[in-house]
Amino acid sequence: MLKIVHYPHPILKRPSKPLRRVDDDLRAMVREMFDLMYKAKGIGLAANQVDLPLRLFVVNTEGNPEKGQELVFINPVISRPRGTAEAEEGCLSIPSVYGLVKRPKEVDVQAYDLQGNEITASLSGMMARVVQHELDHLDGTLFVERMSEAGKMTVDPELDEFRWEFQNLRSTGGIPADAELAAKWEEWEAKYC
């Protein structure tokens, strides 16, 4: 059973590995990722946010299974950034923390879906922002790292609370040691990458 991990869980800083295979287990995990995303009232969720070191993320910009389109991006690559736009972002791995982030206004994306079909699109608006945010996750970058220095200072006290909670969970055995986590990630990578 998957669950969304919170900052500063080590997988959030670990670049994800490209997928080489998709099976029924992975399809079931993707379905579970959508369910978790909706339950948390999100519009995008990267695999490493549920402690999977795999290069994929899910998106539904409506945040509702009854609306919008459920999209799965496997091994995504963005190119041709155009323009600049600043908007507020949040993250399911850092709940209740928000900040302004500048990103390219438009990008092109190339990826694959669960059936192995190639996805190519020019994105703008919210979809461009969500894809860039989730791709950052796959590269081990969090939105708070893209905020201005002044913006980072405003969210740092909240991040300190997450750091304290993480250390508390780790000291009581709620989160395994880094070596144990790394061994688990290597098993996933051996199976899918």
Short mmCIF file of all heavy atoms in Angstrom, two decimals, residues 62-106:
data_model
loop_
_atom_site.label_atom_id
_atom_site.label_comp_id
_atom_site.label_asym_id
_atom_site.label_seq_id
_atom_site.Cartn_x
_atom_site.Cartn_y
_atom_site.Cartn_z
N GLU A 62 -7.74 18.84 -13.12
CA GLU A 62 -9.02 19.11 -12.45
C GLU A 62 -9.02 18.58 -11.02
O GLU A 62 -9.87 18.95 -10.22
CB GLU A 62 -10.18 18.51 -13.24
CG GLU A 62 -10.41 19.14 -14.59
CD GLU A 62 -10.80 20.61 -14.50
OE1 GLU A 62 -11.55 20.98 -13.58
OE2 GLU A 62 -10.36 21.39 -15.37
N GLY A 63 -8.10 17.65 -10.71
CA GLY A 63 -8.03 17.09 -9.36
C GLY A 63 -9.26 16.29 -8.97
O GLY A 63 -9.56 16.16 -7.79
N ASN A 64 -9.95 15.76 -9.97
CA ASN A 64 -11.21 15.05 -9.72
C ASN A 64 -11.34 13.93 -10.74
O ASN A 64 -11.28 14.19 -11.95
CB ASN A 64 -12.37 16.04 -9.86
CG ASN A 64 -13.72 15.44 -9.56
OD1 ASN A 64 -13.96 14.25 -9.76
ND2 ASN A 64 -14.64 16.28 -9.11
N PRO A 65 -11.56 12.67 -10.29
CA PRO A 65 -11.65 11.56 -11.25
C PRO A 65 -12.86 11.67 -12.17
O PRO A 65 -12.87 11.07 -13.24
CB PRO A 65 -11.75 10.32 -10.35
CG PRO A 65 -12.22 10.81 -9.03
CD PRO A 65 -11.73 12.22 -8.90
N GLU A 66 -13.86 12.45 -11.77
CA GLU A 66 -15.05 12.62 -12.60
C GLU A 66 -14.86 13.70 -13.67
O GLU A 66 -15.67 13.83 -14.58
CB GLU A 66 -16.25 13.02 -11.72
CG GLU A 66 -16.49 12.13 -10.52
CD GLU A 66 -16.94 10.73 -10.93
OE1 GLU A 66 -17.74 10.62 -11.86
OE2 GLU A 66 -16.45 9.77 -10.30
N LYS A 67 -13.80 14.49 -13.52
CA LYS A 67 -13.55 15.60 -14.45
C LYS A 67 -12.12 15.53 -14.94
O LYS A 67 -11.28 14.85 -14.38
CB LYS A 67 -13.76 16.95 -13.74
CG LYS A 67 -15.14 17.17 -13.20
CD LYS A 67 -15.20 18.50 -12.47
CE LYS A 67 -16.56 18.72 -11.83
NZ LYS A 67 -16.60 19.93 -11.03
N GLY A 68 -11.84 16.27 -15.96
CA GLY A 68 -10.47 16.34 -16.48
C GLY A 68 -10.03 15.03 -17.09
O GLY A 68 -10.81 14.09 -17.26
N GLN A 69 -8.75 14.95 -17.40
CA GLN A 69 -8.18 13.78 -18.04
C GLN A 69 -7.05 13.24 -17.19
O GLN A 69 -6.17 13.98 -16.76
CB GLN A 69 -7.66 14.15 -19.43
CG GLN A 69 -7.14 12.99 -20.22
CD GLN A 69 -6.66 13.40 -21.61
OE1 GLN A 69 -6.50 14.58 -21.91
NE2 GLN A 69 -6.42 12.41 -22.44
N GLU A 70 -7.09 11.94 -16.92
CA GLU A 70 -6.01 11.29 -16.18
C GLU A 70 -4.88 10.98 -17.14
O GLU A 70 -5.07 10.27 -18.12
CB GLU A 70 -6.50 10.01 -15.51
CG GLU A 70 -7.47 10.27 -14.38
CD GLU A 70 -7.85 9.01 -13.63
OE1 GLU A 70 -7.69 7.89 -14.16
OE2 GLU A 70 -8.32 9.14 -12.48
N LEU A 71 -3.71 11.54 -16.87
CA LEU A 71 -2.55 11.36 -17.73
C LEU A 71 -1.41 10.73 -16.92
O LEU A 71 -1.18 11.10 -15.78
CB LEU A 71 -2.09 12.70 -18.30
CG LEU A 71 -3.10 13.43 -19.18
CD1 LEU A 71 -2.64 14.85 -19.45
CD2 LEU A 71 -3.33 12.67 -20.47
N VAL A 72 -0.71 9.80 -17.55
CA VAL A 72 0.47 9.17 -16.97
C VAL A 72 1.64 9.51 -17.87
O VAL A 72 1.57 9.31 -19.09
CB VAL A 72 0.30 7.63 -16.87
CG1 VAL A 72 1.55 7.00 -16.28
CG2 VAL A 72 -0.93 7.27 -16.06
N PHE A 73 2.71 10.04 -17.29
CA PHE A 73 3.91 10.41 -18.03
C PHE A 73 5.05 9.50 -17.57
O PHE A 73 5.48 9.58 -16.42
CB PHE A 73 4.29 11.87 -17.77
CG PHE A 73 3.31 12.87 -18.32
CD1 PHE A 73 2.15 13.17 -17.64
CD2 PHE A 73 3.57 13.50 -19.53
CE1 PHE A 73 1.24 14.11 -18.14
CE2 PHE A 73 2.67 14.44 -20.04
CZ PHE A 73 1.51 14.74 -19.35
N ILE A 74 5.53 8.63 -18.45
CA ILE A 74 6.65 7.74 -18.16
C ILE A 74 7.88 8.25 -18.89
O ILE A 74 7.82 8.55 -20.09
CB ILE A 74 6.32 6.29 -18.58
CG1 ILE A 74 5.14 5.76 -17.74
CG2 ILE A 74 7.54 5.39 -18.45
CD1 ILE A 74 4.64 4.40 -18.18
N ASN A 75 9.00 8.33 -18.19
CA ASN A 75 10.28 8.82 -18.74
C ASN A 75 10.12 10.16 -19.47
O ASN A 75 10.56 10.32 -20.61
CB ASN A 75 10.90 7.77 -19.67
CG ASN A 75 11.18 6.47 -18.97
OD1 ASN A 75 11.33 6.42 -17.75
ND2 ASN A 75 11.26 5.39 -19.72
N PRO A 76 9.50 11.15 -18.82
CA PRO A 76 9.25 12.42 -19.48
C PRO A 76 10.52 13.26 -19.68
O PRO A 76 11.45 13.20 -18.89
CB PRO A 76 8.30 13.13 -18.51
CG PRO A 76 8.68 12.58 -17.17
CD PRO A 76 9.05 11.14 -17.43
N VAL A 77 10.49 14.02 -20.77
CA VAL A 77 11.56 14.97 -21.09
C VAL A 77 10.87 16.25 -21.56
O VAL A 77 9.95 16.20 -22.38
CB VAL A 77 12.48 14.44 -22.21
CG1 VAL A 77 13.51 15.48 -22.61
CG2 VAL A 77 13.15 13.14 -21.81
N ILE A 78 11.30 17.40 -21.03
CA ILE A 78 10.76 18.66 -21.53
C ILE A 78 11.84 19.39 -22.31
O ILE A 78 13.04 19.24 -22.05
CB ILE A 78 10.16 19.55 -20.42
CG1 ILE A 78 11.17 19.87 -19.33
CG2 ILE A 78 8.92 18.94 -19.83
CD1 ILE A 78 10.65 20.89 -18.31
N SER A 79 11.38 20.20 -23.27
CA SER A 79 12.30 20.96 -24.12
C SER A 79 11.61 22.24 -24.56
O SER A 79 10.43 22.46 -24.28
CB SER A 79 12.70 20.12 -25.34
OG SER A 79 11.56 19.78 -26.11
N ARG A 80 12.36 23.07 -25.24
CA ARG A 80 11.89 24.33 -25.80
C ARG A 80 11.11 25.21 -24.81
O ARG A 80 9.98 25.59 -25.07
CB ARG A 80 11.04 24.06 -27.05
CG ARG A 80 11.82 23.41 -28.18
CD ARG A 80 11.05 23.36 -29.50
NE ARG A 80 10.64 24.69 -29.89
CZ ARG A 80 9.37 25.00 -30.22
NH1 ARG A 80 8.43 24.12 -30.20
NH2 ARG A 80 9.08 26.24 -30.57
N PRO A 81 11.72 25.54 -23.66
CA PRO A 81 11.02 26.45 -22.73
C PRO A 81 10.85 27.82 -23.37
O PRO A 81 11.76 28.32 -24.03
CB PRO A 81 11.96 26.49 -21.52
CG PRO A 81 13.30 26.10 -22.04
CD PRO A 81 13.06 25.18 -23.21
N ARG A 82 9.66 28.40 -23.18
CA ARG A 82 9.36 29.70 -23.76
C ARG A 82 8.66 30.58 -22.74
O ARG A 82 7.76 30.13 -22.04
CB ARG A 82 8.46 29.51 -25.00
CG ARG A 82 9.13 28.63 -26.06
CD ARG A 82 8.22 28.29 -27.23
NE ARG A 82 7.04 27.49 -26.96
CZ ARG A 82 7.02 26.17 -26.75
NH1 ARG A 82 8.14 25.47 -26.72
NH2 ARG A 82 5.88 25.53 -26.56
N GLY A 83 9.09 31.84 -22.67
CA GLY A 83 8.46 32.81 -21.78
C GLY A 83 8.72 32.51 -20.31
O GLY A 83 9.43 31.57 -19.97
N THR A 84 8.16 33.35 -19.45
CA THR A 84 8.29 33.18 -18.01
C THR A 84 6.97 33.55 -17.36
O THR A 84 6.33 34.53 -17.76
CB THR A 84 9.40 34.09 -17.43
OG1 THR A 84 10.64 33.79 -18.08
CG2 THR A 84 9.59 33.86 -15.94
N ALA A 85 6.60 32.76 -16.37
CA ALA A 85 5.39 33.06 -15.60
C ALA A 85 5.66 32.73 -14.14
O ALA A 85 6.36 31.76 -13.84
CB ALA A 85 4.21 32.24 -16.13
N GLU A 86 5.12 33.55 -13.25
CA GLU A 86 5.26 33.30 -11.82
C GLU A 86 3.88 32.98 -11.25
O GLU A 86 2.90 33.66 -11.55
CB GLU A 86 5.84 34.52 -11.11
CG GLU A 86 6.12 34.28 -9.65
CD GLU A 86 6.84 35.46 -9.00
OE1 GLU A 86 6.33 36.60 -9.10
OE2 GLU A 86 7.89 35.24 -8.39
N ALA A 87 3.81 31.92 -10.46
CA ALA A 87 2.54 31.53 -9.84
C ALA A 87 2.81 30.80 -8.54
O ALA A 87 3.93 30.31 -8.31
CB ALA A 87 1.73 30.65 -10.79
N GLU A 88 1.79 30.73 -7.71
CA GLU A 88 1.91 30.03 -6.44
C GLU A 88 1.85 28.53 -6.67
O GLU A 88 1.05 28.05 -7.46
CB GLU A 88 0.79 30.45 -5.49
CG GLU A 88 0.94 29.86 -4.11
CD GLU A 88 -0.13 30.36 -3.16
OE1 GLU A 88 -1.29 29.92 -3.29
OE2 GLU A 88 0.21 31.19 -2.30
N GLU A 89 2.73 27.81 -5.98
CA GLU A 89 2.75 26.36 -6.05
C GLU A 89 2.70 25.79 -4.64
O GLU A 89 3.09 26.44 -3.68
CB GLU A 89 4.01 25.83 -6.75
CG GLU A 89 4.07 26.17 -8.22
CD GLU A 89 5.23 25.52 -8.95
OE1 GLU A 89 5.81 24.52 -8.43
OE2 GLU A 89 5.57 26.00 -10.05
N GLY A 90 2.21 24.57 -4.56
CA GLY A 90 2.23 23.80 -3.33
C GLY A 90 2.67 22.39 -3.68
O GLY A 90 2.96 22.10 -4.84
N CYS A 91 2.71 21.51 -2.70
CA CYS A 91 3.20 20.16 -2.94
C CYS A 91 2.59 19.20 -1.92
O CYS A 91 2.54 19.51 -0.73
CB CYS A 91 4.73 20.15 -2.82
SG CYS A 91 5.47 18.55 -3.11
N LEU A 92 2.15 18.04 -2.41
CA LEU A 92 1.56 17.06 -1.51
C LEU A 92 2.58 16.49 -0.53
O LEU A 92 2.20 15.96 0.51
CB LEU A 92 0.91 15.93 -2.32
CG LEU A 92 -0.23 16.36 -3.23
CD1 LEU A 92 -0.79 15.16 -3.99
CD2 LEU A 92 -1.32 17.07 -2.45
N SER A 93 3.87 16.61 -0.84
CA SER A 93 4.92 16.16 0.08
C SER A 93 5.32 17.23 1.09
O SER A 93 6.13 16.98 1.99
CB SER A 93 6.14 15.67 -0.69
OG SER A 93 5.85 14.47 -1.38
N ILE A 94 4.80 18.45 0.91
CA ILE A 94 5.03 19.53 1.86
C ILE A 94 3.68 20.21 2.08
O ILE A 94 3.47 21.36 1.71
CB ILE A 94 6.08 20.56 1.36
CG1 ILE A 94 7.27 19.89 0.69
CG2 ILE A 94 6.57 21.44 2.51
CD1 ILE A 94 8.24 20.86 0.04
N PRO A 95 2.71 19.48 2.66
CA PRO A 95 1.35 20.01 2.74
C PRO A 95 1.26 21.33 3.50
O PRO A 95 1.99 21.55 4.46
CB PRO A 95 0.57 18.91 3.47
CG PRO A 95 1.55 17.92 3.95
CD PRO A 95 2.85 18.16 3.27
N SER A 96 0.39 22.19 3.01
CA SER A 96 0.09 23.50 3.60
C SER A 96 1.21 24.52 3.44
O SER A 96 1.15 25.60 4.04
CB SER A 96 -0.27 23.37 5.09
OG SER A 96 -1.38 22.52 5.24
N VAL A 97 2.24 24.22 2.65
CA VAL A 97 3.30 25.18 2.35
C VAL A 97 3.13 25.62 0.90
O VAL A 97 3.00 24.78 0.00
CB VAL A 97 4.70 24.57 2.57
CG1 VAL A 97 5.79 25.54 2.12
CG2 VAL A 97 4.88 24.19 4.03
N TYR A 98 3.11 26.93 0.69
CA TYR A 98 2.91 27.48 -0.65
C TYR A 98 3.92 28.59 -0.89
O TYR A 98 4.35 29.26 0.06
CB TYR A 98 1.49 28.04 -0.81
CG TYR A 98 0.43 26.99 -0.58
CD1 TYR A 98 -0.13 26.81 0.68
CD2 TYR A 98 0.02 26.17 -1.62
CE1 TYR A 98 -1.09 25.83 0.89
CE2 TYR A 98 -0.93 25.19 -1.42
CZ TYR A 98 -1.49 25.02 -0.16
OH TYR A 98 -2.42 24.05 0.05
N GLY A 99 4.25 28.81 -2.16
CA GLY A 99 5.16 29.89 -2.48
C GLY A 99 5.17 30.19 -3.97
O GLY A 99 4.77 29.34 -4.79
N LEU A 100 5.62 31.38 -4.31
CA LEU A 100 5.69 31.80 -5.71
C LEU A 100 6.92 31.19 -6.37
O LEU A 100 8.02 31.22 -5.81
CB LEU A 100 5.75 33.32 -5.80
CG LEU A 100 4.48 34.06 -5.37
CD1 LEU A 100 4.72 35.57 -5.39
CD2 LEU A 100 3.31 33.69 -6.29
N VAL A 101 6.71 30.66 -7.58
CA VAL A 101 7.79 30.03 -8.34
C VAL A 101 7.73 30.54 -9.78
O VAL A 101 6.65 30.55 -10.39
CB VAL A 101 7.66 28.49 -8.33
CG1 VAL A 101 8.76 27.85 -9.18
CG2 VAL A 101 7.70 27.96 -6.91
N LYS A 102 8.88 30.97 -10.31
CA LYS A 102 8.97 31.36 -11.71
C LYS A 102 9.36 30.13 -12.52
O LYS A 102 10.29 29.40 -12.15
CB LYS A 102 10.04 32.44 -11.91
CG LYS A 102 9.62 33.80 -11.46
CD LYS A 102 10.68 34.83 -11.78
CE LYS A 102 10.28 36.18 -11.22
NZ LYS A 102 11.32 37.19 -11.44
N ARG A 103 8.64 29.91 -13.61
CA ARG A 103 8.91 28.80 -14.51
C ARG A 103 8.67 29.26 -15.95
O ARG A 103 7.96 30.25 -16.16
CB ARG A 103 7.98 27.63 -14.23
CG ARG A 103 8.18 26.97 -12.88
CD ARG A 103 7.41 25.66 -12.83
NE ARG A 103 7.49 25.03 -11.53
CZ ARG A 103 8.45 24.19 -11.16
NH1 ARG A 103 9.41 23.90 -12.00
NH2 ARG A 103 8.46 23.66 -9.95
N PRO A 104 9.19 28.50 -16.91
CA PRO A 104 8.81 28.80 -18.29
C PRO A 104 7.29 28.73 -18.45
O PRO A 104 6.63 27.86 -17.88
CB PRO A 104 9.51 27.71 -19.09
CG PRO A 104 10.71 27.36 -18.27
CD PRO A 104 10.23 27.47 -16.84
N LYS A 105 6.75 29.64 -19.23
CA LYS A 105 5.31 29.71 -19.45
C LYS A 105 4.83 28.56 -20.35
O LYS A 105 3.72 28.06 -20.18
CB LYS A 105 4.99 31.06 -20.10
CG LYS A 105 3.54 31.41 -20.16
CD LYS A 105 3.39 32.83 -20.70
CE LYS A 105 1.95 33.27 -20.65
NZ LYS A 105 1.82 34.67 -21.08
N GLU A 106 5.68 28.17 -21.28
CA GLU A 106 5.34 27.10 -22.22
C GLU A 106 6.53 26.15 -22.35
O GLU A 106 7.68 26.60 -22.31
CB GLU A 106 5.01 27.66 -23.60
CG GLU A 106 3.83 28.61 -23.61
CD GLU A 106 3.60 29.23 -24.99
OE1 GLU A 106 4.11 28.69 -25.99
OE2 GLU A 106 2.93 30.26 -25.04
#
